[in-house]
Amino acid sequence: MVVKTSRVAPGESLAVVPAAGVQRILFVGASTGGTEAIKLFLQGFPAECPPTLVVQHMPESFTASFARRLDGLCKARVLEAQGGERVEAGTIYIAPGHSHLQIRRSGGVLQTELLQSPPVNRHRPSVDVLFDSAAQVVGKHAVGVILTGMGKDGAQGMLRMRQAGGYTFGQDEASCVVYGMPREAALIGGVDEVVRLDEMARRVLGVFGRVLV
């Protein structure tokens, strides 16, 4: 199932760093049920996938092993972000459980950045922190995906990403373990398309103009 929603008219001014010459970058957030959802989603990606940053609510003792497991299952390279990595195609960066993950621009290069600032929406890492950085740094070149999860983390950040010109996807209720985060994002107008999990990789890669291989 794919449900398209109307574009959001920006309700407020949003300071966006110009992103001239920047390729599209994918930002993903998930919580309860997300480890399996992320695995299924990313297994649909080719080796030369779009640069992808992921926040999964998870204790810090598990994120490194989660990244290693995905790296063994996916065609693309998957790693736990250490901060300061150049954001490149063919690589998926998983937020460590002890820090917020965001994207930053340094000397014209896009890099990962880790923050030890307080939890947002009771979470660190927080999906809102990642999505807010996507809106501010990447703007219209950002593509957002919000998957299964309890609560509302990521909803406001996804709305801001959409207002900045990015394109956004939310997992549908039927395929979610918990239809919390995608529901909240959709309710406030942050989602362009509501998509079933088993169709998500195809739909997202379509935005990047890529073919499944």
Side-chain angles (χ1 to χ4, degrees):
M1 180 185 72
V2 177
V3 179
K4 294 189 178 183
T5 60
S6 60
R7 294 295 297 178
V8 175
E12 57 182 315
S13 61
L14 181 67
V16 178
V17 178
V22 176
Q23 63 182 313
R24 282 186 180 268
I25 297 174
L26 179 61
F27 300 86
V28 182
S31 187
T32 310
T35 55
E36 184 67 14
I38 288 169
K39 183 195 80 170
L40 293 173
F41 175 47
L42 296 181
Q43 282 184 307
F45 281 26
E48 282 301 309
C49 69
T52 303
L53 282 68
V54 179
V55 165
Q56 161 69 46
H57 296 158
M58 179 182 282
E60 62 180 285
S61 56
F62 293 102
T63 47
S65 60
F66 179 53
R68 286 195 299 271
R69 177 170 174 258
L70 290 175
D71 188 55
L73 294 170
C74 298
K75 298 181 181 74
R77 182 172 67 133
V78 184
L79 53 85
E80 183 187 49
Q82 302 299 307
E85 295 104 340
R86 183 168 182 159
V87 175
E88 298 178 323
T91 307
I92 298 162
Y93 307 85
I94 306 292
H98 54 70
S99 298
H100 296 301
L101 172 65
Q102 64 178 25
I103 193 166
R104 70 172 182 180
R105 190 185 305 280
S106 177
V109 173
L110 293 175
Q111 298 178 331
T112 65
E113 183 175 33
L114 302 183
L115 302 174
Q116 284 279 308
S117 50
V120 175
N121 299 318
R122 299 182 299 174
H123 295 287
R124 188 177 67 197
S126 164
V127 182
D128 265 333
V129 171
L130 177 65
F131 285 179
D132 282 344
S133 72
Q136 293 166 9
V137 176
V138 186
K140 67 181 181 180
H141 297 273
V143 177
V145 173
I146 193 161
L147 300 173
T148 177
M150 188 178 299
K152 62 180 182 180
D153 188 33
Q156 290 292 335
M158 178 159 275
L159 176 61
R160 287 187 279 269
M161 197 188 307
R162 196 175 183 215
Q163 289 173 336
Y167 200 82
T168 61
F169 295 86
Q171 187 177 346
D172 79 329
E173 182 174 8
S175 65
C176 280
V177 173
V178 179
Y179 190 54
M181 288 160 49
R183 176 181 180 273
E184 292 297 323
L187 283 175
I188 62 173
V191 176
D192 280 299
E193 294 189 31
V194 178
V195 181
R196 201 171 63 207
L197 179 61
D198 62 1
E199 296 180 347
M200 188 69 79
R202 180 181 64 84
R203 291 296 307 146
V204 170
L205 290 171
V207 172
F208 288 85
R210 294 175 180 269
V211 177
L212 287 170
V213 293

